[in-house]
Amino acid sequence: MALPACAARALGPPLQPERRAPARTTCPRRHSRVEAELAASRPGSVAASVLAGPPRGVSRGFNSQPLLDEPPKASSSLAGAARTSLFALLPRSRRRRMHDLRRRWDLGSLCRALLTRGLAALGHSLKHVLGAIFSKIFGPLASVGNMDEKSNKLLLALVMLFLFAVIVLQYVCPGTECQLLRLQAFSSPMPDPYRSEDESSARFVPRYNFSRGDLLRKVDFDIKGDDLIVFLHIQKTGGTTFGRHLVRNIQLEQPCECRVGQKKCTCHRPGKRETWLFSRFSTGWSCGLHADWTELTSCVPAVVDGKRDARLRPSRNFHYITILRDPVSRYLSEWRHVQRGATWKASLHVCDGRPPTSEELPSCYTGDDWSGCPLKEFMDCPYNLANNRQVRMLSDLTLVGCYNLSVMPEKQRNKVLLESAKSNLKHMAFFGLTEFQRKTQYLFEKTFNMNFISPFTQYNTTRASSVEINEEIQKRIEGLNFLDMELYSYAKDLFLQRYQFMRQKEHQEARQKRQEQRKFLKGRFLQTHFQSQGQSQNPSQNPNLNANQNVTQNLIQNLTQNSSQNSSHKENRESQKQSAGQEQSDGNTSNGTNDYIGSVEKWR
């Protein structure tokens, strides 16, 4: 059967069926897709070239008209007619799909071209900019040779130098607190590390009169002998931070061994398996959780030398130290700690050989803890040990019958406790204040002749500072801790006077050392001067040579005698002042202390 007339007119001669393919004799409307595929499969045919699309690298633009709308060229009228007729034979969906593919192909090629040209332009501009910069900075190098090659080599050298510096810095200064990385040292002068840390006035006016023996605290601590430092840790005074400084931040011949994941460290004396520190982080709570003065003075000797015979026990020196804090801040910090579930149930409160009974020391809560308690409830409990805690833990409770409140009147009991706490605090080897971290570090180093590795840090923002209270609540807290307020005022005055005294003593020693060095250099200069004059002249022409040498020796002897006499006179005056200060009472005015304070102000 022949093809329909429409296909015959378009194609001319009838299409010959391929080998092993049957001839198509049905209607083209039903099998137009098959006819188009057969025409496209014939190599070199017009339909195959139409379906293949434009050649690679050729684009008609993405707004071009479909192929079926383009007019046929004059030189290929038969091909154009065949192309138009073949597209007309295709289904509408296939023609639309071919048109969409063509549009997408044109858009993708356009994006690729734009991206390639944009990157090329950007690289070219960057190259010119870098070349201009290097030509400005390294102008002399540009005249030597090729600028691009030299700039690339120079840039590579700078990068390698920077990487090498970073590696060296990591080895030299691995920590984050390296002094070399503090850029403030280059922009501003180094401030005084012992300035007023609480931002108060730098001028200090003392309220109490202390003798020279009270102000001069210098302990002859022998770490290789039998001396022992005992740390009295009061709750919420920053004692945990200070305790860590003692075991991790102090320069020793044999440092403490602290293992990862363990709170306790091993602090042995050099060459001995015996500890030199009695604290939470060295021996643990051996005398109970947060043991006070009464417990430690009776417990520590028994714990340290309990296994030895009484006749073989060495005569130890127990040096007690502690840290105090502002009573209001400490009270609020303890309340926040109790809110989080702290109870300190493991505290023994042993006094006079026994712990207190439940009637002598009732509990403020009935459950397992007092977590979530409001501040009003915390203040309303009359048996709360947070009230005047610092006075109670620093005083000798055996003087007032321990926790038995019926031994003496309350007013007399408070007076005895306060005086006992003041006396123990004054005779302690050392005490510090939480509000003065750098001064605390300075006094400890001068007292025990032991230096810390890194300086202490002053934290002005704490949990207690985040609690906002009005004036009424603050006055009530001060009333509940009136003994602690009096003790802290006394301790702060003594602390700052000791600090000023030690600073003045340090400057006097430095000035005296400079004077002795100048005297020594002056004597050496005179000696060398006379010797040079004697060598320049002959002995026969200089009969006074021996006399000059004798004068030089006499001058040196006089200088040494004067310096020794001055030092002996100073020691005599200091001993006289010390004896006079010890004879005077604390209530009378001390002329030596007033002169010291006046000299401090004059020096400032």
Side-chain angles (χ1 to χ4, degrees):
M1 183 179 294
L3 291 173
C6 58
R9 287 195 302 269
L11 299 177
L15 296 174
Q16 297 297 328
E18 294 180 356
R19 186 177 300 177
R20 297 182 183 181
R24 302 301 179 192
T25 58
T26 56
C27 181
R29 284 185 173 273
R30 298 179 61 182
H31 299 281
S32 59
R33 183 175 180 180
V34 178
E35 294 292 340
E37 290 179 355
L38 287 175
S41 63
R42 184 179 300 171
S45 63
V46 178
S49 62
V50 171
L51 291 177
R56 185 175 182 181
V58 178
S59 176
R60 296 180 183 270
F62 110 81
N63 287 327
S64 60
Q65 297 294 329
L67 294 178
L68 57 91
D69 297 334
E70 292 181 357
K73 295 182 180 179
S75 59
S76 58
S77 59
L78 182 60
R83 187 186 303 116
T84 304
S85 61
L86 285 175
F87 270 95
L89 292 176
L90 294 176
R92 183 177 298 178
S93 60
R94 184 166 181 89
R95 284 182 293 172
R96 188 180 297 110
R97 191 181 308 166
M98 290 181 63
H99 182 63
D100 293 340
L101 290 175
R102 178 63 180 271
R103 288 171 60 89
R104 293 175 185 175
W105 184 82
D106 291 338
L107 183 61
S109 61
L110 178 62
C111 293
R112 287 193 298 271
L114 290 176
L115 182 61
T116 304
R117 292 183 180 181
L119 291 177
L122 181 62
H124 189 68
S125 301
L126 185 61
K127 181 179 179 181
H128 280 284
V129 170
L130 292 178
I133 292 174
F134 276 100
S135 63
K136 291 289 184 181
I137 299 176
F138 307 100
L141 296 177
S143 60
V144 178
N146 189 6
M147 181 61 194
D148 294 335
E149 183 178 358
K150 288 186 175 297
S151 62
N152 293 334
K153 291 182 179 180
L154 183 60
L155 183 61
L156 181 61
L158 291 176
V159 171
M160 295 298 293
L161 182 62
F162 175 74
L163 294 177
F164 179 75
V166 170
I167 295 174
V168 171
L169 184 63
Q170 290 296 323
Y171 277 100
V172 174
C173 179
T176 58
E177 297 182 354
C178 183
Q179 298 290 337
L180 298 176
L181 298 180
R182 295 185 176 179
L183 301 180
Q184 296 180 355
F186 298 95
S187 59
S188 61
M190 182 64 67
D192 185 11
Y194 307 110
R195 68 186 186 279
S196 182
E197 294 164 288
D198 59 350
E199 303 301 331
S200 61
S201 177
R203 182 169 181 175
F204 168 66
V205 179
R207 295 177 51 192
Y208 300 89
N209 296 320
F210 297 102
S211 63
R212 178 184 171 85
D214 296 333
L215 298 178
L216 180 59
R217 308 303 295 173
K218 196 172 182 69
V219 177
D220 187 14
F221 178 69
D222 186 12
I223 193 173
K224 297 182 179 180
D226 298 318
D227 296 348
L228 188 69
I229 295 178
V230 182
F231 179 39
L232 196 159
H233 187 179
I234 303 175
Q235 289 94 319
K236 311 314 296 177
T237 58
T240 301
T241 303
F242 184 76
R244 289 197 182 101
H245 281 303
L246 292 178
V247 298
R248 299 176 182 269
N249 189 30
I250 201 165
Q251 295 179 1
L252 297 173
E253 180 181 350
Q254 182 177 344
C256 298
E257 297 179 3
C258 301
R259 298 181 180 179
V260 179
Q262 295 183 1
K263 292 183 178 181
K264 292 173 58 177
C265 302
T266 304
C267 300
H268 286 162
R269 304 179 190 273
K272 296 183 180 180
R273 298 188 61 83
E274 185 182 52
T275 184
W276 57 269
L277 177 65
F278 192 94
S279 70
R280 166 190 178 183
F281 293 105
S282 59
T283 57
W285 303 111
S286 301
C287 293
L289 181 62
H290 288 284
D292 54 19
W293 173 272
T294 308
E295 294 177 288
L296 289 177
T297 52
S298 60
C299 172
V300 172
V303 171
V304 175
D305 299 321
K307 298 180 180 180
R308 297 184 182 182
D309 190 3
R311 294 174 297 178
L312 300 177
R313 293 179 183 177
S315 57
R316 299 181 184 273
N317 294 321
F318 296 98
H319 303 291
Y320 288 87
I321 62 176
T322 189
I323 300 292
L324 297 182
R325 187 180 180 182
D326 176 71
V328 177
S329 300
R330 198 212 65 79
Y331 189 85
L332 291 174
S333 180
E334 182 170 345
W335 165 63
R336 293 293 300 272
H337 199 55
V338 169
Q339 270 192 329
R340 297 190 298 270
T343 59
W344 296 297
K345 289 182 178 181
S347 299
L348 302 177
H349 303 295
V350 175
C351 178
D352 204 6
R354 66 175 183 86
T357 62
S358 58
E359 291 80 11
E360 293 176 344
L361 191 61
S363 178
C364 290
Y365 54 91
T366 56
D368 295 334
D369 53 26
W370 208 4
S371 59
C373 71
L375 181 59
K376 186 178 183 303
E377 182 181 350
F378 189 77
M379 293 187 296
D380 290 341
C381 179
Y383 311 107
N384 195 349
L385 292 178
N387 302 336
N388 296 313
R389 181 182 288 277
Q390 299 183 90
V391 170
R392 180 182 56 82
M393 295 188 67
L394 289 175
S395 60
D396 188 1
L397 297 179
T398 58
L399 300 176
V400 294
C402 297
Y403 294 92
N404 188 1
L405 303 180
S406 61
V407 173
M408 61 179 64
E410 182 180 0
K411 187 175 181 180
Q412 183 181 359
R413 175 185 174 88
N414 293 336
K415 183 179 179 180
V416 174
L417 288 177
L418 181 59
E419 293 300 325
S420 176
K422 287 182 178 180
S423 177
N424 293 335
L425 186 69
K426 183 174 66 174
H427 292 94
M428 271 186 173
F430 163 81
F431 73 90
L433 298 181
T434 308
E435 289 75 19
F436 301 94
Q437 289 291 322
R438 297 299 297 273
K439 293 182 177 65
T440 298
Q441 176 184 357
Y442 175 81
L443 287 179
F444 182 88
E445 291 177 347
K446 295 300 180 182
T447 301
F448 289 95
N449 196 21
M450 303 169 72
N451 297 324
F452 290 97
I453 300 174
S454 60
F456 289 7
T457 305
Q458 183 70 43
Y459 296 102
N460 295 323
T461 302
T462 58
R463 293 189 178 96
S465 62
S466 62
V467 179
E468 296 181 359
I469 57 175
N470 52 30
E471 187 178 357
E472 181 181 358
I473 295 178
Q474 182 173 359
K475 288 184 178 180
R476 186 179 178 188
I477 294 176
E478 292 177 357
L480 292 173
N481 298 272
F482 68 99
L483 295 179
D484 277 4
M485 296 294 294
E486 182 66 24
L487 177 66
Y488 184 77
S489 176
Y490 177 87
K492 184 177 180 180
D493 193 277
L494 177 58
F495 178 83
L496 294 178
Q497 285 198 45
R498 281 181 177 176
Y499 166 74
Q500 287 190 352
F501 181 80
M502 295 299 293
R503 291 280 284 180
Q504 182 190 17
K505 187 173 181 296
E506 182 181 6
H507 286 292
Q508 288 178 352
E509 291 177 352
R511 184 164 55 251
Q512 184 179 0
K513 185 177 181 181
R514 289 194 300 269
Q515 291 177 358
E516 292 177 356
Q517 289 179 354
R518 284 196 294 267
K519 290 179 181 179
F520 176 76
L521 293 176
K522 186 177 180 180
R524 291 291 300 273
F525 172 75
L526 292 175
Q527 184 178 3
T528 54
H529 177 68
F530 287 127
Q531 287 180 358
S532 61
Q533 286 184 353
Q535 291 177 2
S536 62
Q537 298 178 1
N538 295 326
S540 60
Q541 296 178 359
N542 188 11
N544 297 326
L545 178 60
N546 296 329
N548 292 334
Q549 292 179 354
N550 294 331
V551 169
T552 305
Q553 294 178 359
N554 293 332
L555 180 61
I556 295 174
Q557 291 178 0
N558 292 331
L559 289 174
T560 55
Q561 289 178 1
N562 290 332
S563 61
S564 62
Q565 289 178 0
N566 292 332
S567 61
S568 63
H569 287 313
K570 289 182 180 179
E571 291 177 358
N572 293 332
R573 286 198 299 268
E574 290 177 357
S575 61
Q576 290 176 2
K577 288 182 180 180
Q578 183 176 3
S579 61
Q582 291 177 356
E583 290 175 358
Q584 293 178 355
S585 61
D586 293 341
N588 299 328
T589 58
S590 177
N591 295 328
T593 307
N594 293 332
D595 295 338
Y596 145 69
I597 296 169
S599 60
V600 169
E601 298 300 335
K602 184 179 179 181
W603 171 77
R604 285 184 177 278

